[in-house]
Amino acid sequence: LVRRDWCIQSKETGRYVLDQILSGDDRDAVVNNIHDHLEQLAKRMRSGDLPLEKYVITKGLSKHPNDYPDGKTQPHVHVAKMMLKANRPVNIGDHIPYVITMQSSEQEQKASTKTSAVERARHPEEIKRSNGELKPDVEWYLAQQILPPTGRLCEPMEGTSPSIMAEKLGLDSRKYHLTGAGNGHEIDDENLVDFIPASSLPDNERFKEVEKLHLTCLACGESNEFCGVFAKGSTVDKVTSGLSCPNPDCSHPDFWGGPGHLQLWSRVSNIMTMFIRRHIQKYYLGVVKCDDPACTISETRQLSVGTGCPCLGRGCTGRVRPVYTERMLYDQLKYIESLMDVNHTCEQILFKQETDTIAAKTELLRSISKLDTEMMRQLHSVAQSHLHKSAYHFIEPS
């Protein structure tokens, strides 16, 4: 918080968190107070109740704006150049205030891709003169100005983490599971007491973060999640086929609008294979990212930057981590394999209803036609062949 590239609200939040940590109160009370503060702050920012002055970041010019070789990557230099174009005086040593604004509708129409935060930096006076056209980018401030210093201050504390705080701020917590040396998958001694291996978790818990397989109905044109041989919500007493379109208004729901089993098998097999190949390609792209949320360096594929190496960002103390890990790829492959496994699907339904008996499973298997079973067996064979190529779940003896 000593650096000048933090906004006023970031400094105030940092002081509040520090006061809570040093208050001497019970740890749970401190954690709850910090979480409540983050939730209330996010609500105020998104509702527009936070004054513009709280978003202002100020940084000094060590040279003339036109003399910066990397001026396109520094917001205060960008704003200083805009001030020069407007014939406003700018001198060496001046402290330039700026606010990162949301991308305007006019910018969205002109540019097919989202503009960078540097390009969206504006002087506070310009924002006031815009009559509401320019507004602070709340999501950027929450992710880049509020979460990083709070996460650093709370790093030694138990009961919270960057992902939990991101969730309190209304951000995507999955992006912050990579922070830390173990990519979010290390297990300490305390967690071993109640540790449940992934293979023992129900599918809805184990695969909650994977990308789901979707299929488009040929009759109604609606895309829905393909849930395997049984539709979502099926029970032992009420079995609904997953080989039919779930849209209640579909004119021909059987076989997802197709003529029969052969055509459906061909469609699902092709879509599943392309789905798996896309995720394998995503893994082998080798994209890495710094685990420090405050780092300004975006994702990269530089060969000189290996997993676990120090970040190349100037002044950054983070480590480089893969964006798409071996664990993520394996979970994706295992999800597809489990989805096509008829026996596994039956066991999941029985597990939910706590009716794990041989008679109940036999009755559930009888409700599936022979052609449905054979089709799913062929699809499971394809999925299994891809899973067995992964060495993630094999251990080579030394």
Side-chain angles (χ1 to χ4, degrees), residues 216-256:
T216 301
C217 178
L218 298 177
C220 65
E222 187 174 294
S223 178
N224 287 287
E225 181 184 343
F226 182 74
C227 299
V229 70
F230 296 122
K232 189 177 291 185
S234 293
T235 62
V236 177
D237 302 323
K238 185 181 178 182
V239 176
T240 307
S241 175
L243 306 184
S244 300
C245 175
N247 181 13
D249 300 324
C250 183
S251 59
H252 181 59
D254 292 344
F255 307 111
W256 290 76

